[in-house]
Amino acid sequence: MIAAARAAGRSLARDFGEVENLQVSKKGPADFVSNADHRAEEIIYNSLTKARPGYGFVMEERGIVEGTDKSNKFIVDPLDGTLNFLHGQPHYAVSIALEREGKLLTGVVYDVAKNEIFWAETGRGAWLENRKLRVAARTKLHEAVVATGTPWHGKAEEKHTHFAREMLAMTPACAGIRRYGSAALDLAYVAAGRFDGFWERGLQPWDIAAGIVLVREAGGTITEIDGGDVMQTGSLLAANEDLHPLIEKQLRHAAAFARKAD
Ligand code: 2AM
Ligand code: CA
Ligand code: CA
Ligand code: CA
């Protein structure tokens, strides 16, 4: 998985150098995809099918490929942070996870521009190269830097309203909010203790699968914001065990505020 991520990363780095020449198309109102995404996905698919013939795939661009081996499935986002990439911002990643018997087993998130490989395997810890990762030790919310993702153009109006209320509840409560535009890296940064927490709603399985393994193995807590299944709704809150309930409280506060306003 690391070799596949590195190979895809080399392709992305080349395309990033000539980003103005890429063909870009739209999958939705603000949902861009380029040939860089497709090329990287192709490299990952070819590399992993060769290494593990028969495993299934869930990929952002190509979709689902059923494997003959029903217990193993790769979940792939060849380029997380496409909008950053297309705007020449060096903050984008390759995200690859392996799900075994319906459970997330392994995750790799590769920050191509900074050449950082974050990886984790259930029971083996989370790592940045050969440094073992641990979520931040901070316990006070007012000292915490918390990341999030904003709903984008084309998302339902209520999603934007919801987000605005969560920001209203969160900004005065913590030291700072960050919005970098790659959910996979946001989760990797929580695992590495660079962010004290991260929340976002409505993400896709390939945005979060690898990052979830990273955060768990780094000792963090991940829950679905409204109590559902994270991989179904893609709405998640990740933080250390002390900050998690404090952030959750602020998000609940936002929901109550929203109900009152309605
Ligand atoms: P992507 O770059 O692979 O599409 C940030 O909020 C997260 O949402 C990213 O992981 C990003 O993944 C995803 N996303 C999907 N569609 C998006 C869009 N139109 N604009 C910004 N982020 C988008
Ligand atoms: Ca996309
Ligand atoms: Ca993504
Ligand atoms: Ca993507």
Side-chain angles (χ1 to χ4, degrees):
M1 288 163 69
I2 289 174
R6 281 203 193 277
R10 281 193 292 276
S11 169
L12 290 171
R14 268 196 305 275
D15 283 331
F16 190 69
E18 295 187 43
V19 77
E20 63 284 352
N21 298 329
L22 288 175
Q23 275 169 26
V24 181
S25 54
K26 273 188 187 184
K27 297 191 282 180
D31 193 359
F32 301 98
V33 61
S34 72
N35 35 2
D37 301 60
H38 289 293
R39 269 198 282 269
E41 197 173 83
E42 200 60 22
I43 289 166
I44 294 165
Y45 180 70
N46 290 339
S47 160
L48 293 178
T49 36
K50 211 162 152 198
R52 294 289 182 275
Y55 281 24
F57 285 83
V58 177
M59 293 172 281
E60 182 180 6
E61 311 306 339
R62 193 193 279 237
I64 293 172
V65 177
E66 292 288 345
T68 49
D69 176 339
K70 299 296 174 200
S71 48
N72 290 293
K73 188 163 78 183
F74 290 114
I75 305 172
V76 177
D77 189 340
L79 172 49
D80 189 58
T82 292
L83 210 50
N84 284 345
F85 186 91
L86 293 176
H87 286 245
Q89 299 184 26
H91 192 77
Y92 60 92
V94 178
S95 173
I96 307 175
L98 175 61
E99 192 187 272
R100 179 163 291 167
E101 312 288 1
K103 289 201 180 91
L104 293 171
L105 180 70
T106 313
V108 174
V109 175
Y110 180 31
D111 181 331
V112 179
K114 295 169 206 77
N115 193 23
E116 289 187 320
I117 291 261
F118 300 86
W119 69 273
E121 191 154 84
T122 305
R124 286 178 64 189
W127 301 81
L128 170 52
E129 314 292 340
N130 49 17
R131 183 160 70 80
K132 197 157 199 276
L133 299 179
R134 177 81 204 156
V135 288
R138 246 167 241 110
T139 57
K140 297 189 180 82
L141 188 55
H142 68 265
E143 291 176 358
V145 170
V146 182
T148 187
T150 50
W152 43 87
H153 177 70
K155 285 244 163 166
E157 183 67 32
E158 74 206 48
K159 288 251 169 30
H160 294 262
T161 311
H162 204 128
F163 175 77
R165 287 179 175 136
E166 287 177 343
M167 285 297 267
L168 208 54
M170 282 302 299
T171 43
C174 61
I177 303 273
R178 294 292 180 272
R179 199 291 184 203
Y180 290 172
S182 159
L185 281 175
D186 290 337
L187 288 165
Y189 276 27
V190 171
R194 294 174 182 177
F195 287 147
D196 299 294
F198 167 65
W199 92 96
E200 186 164 351
R201 289 174 179 275
L203 291 163
Q204 299 293 334
W206 46 81
D207 299 321
I208 56 177
I212 287 173
V213 187
L214 279 161
V215 172
R216 275 193 201 139
E217 283 300 305
T221 305
I222 294 203
T223 58
E224 202 279 347
I225 299 176
D226 304 307
D229 176 350
V230 175
M231 291 298 279
Q232 295 296 320
T233 66
S235 301
L236 79 177
L237 166 59
N240 71 29
E241 61 178 359
D242 296 305
L243 288 173
H244 187 282
L246 303 180
I247 299 172
E248 195 171 44
K249 195 172 148 212
Q250 291 306 117
L251 296 179
R252 293 257 155 81
H253 188 70
F257 185 81
R259 277 197 296 277
K260 218 184 311 171
D262 295 340

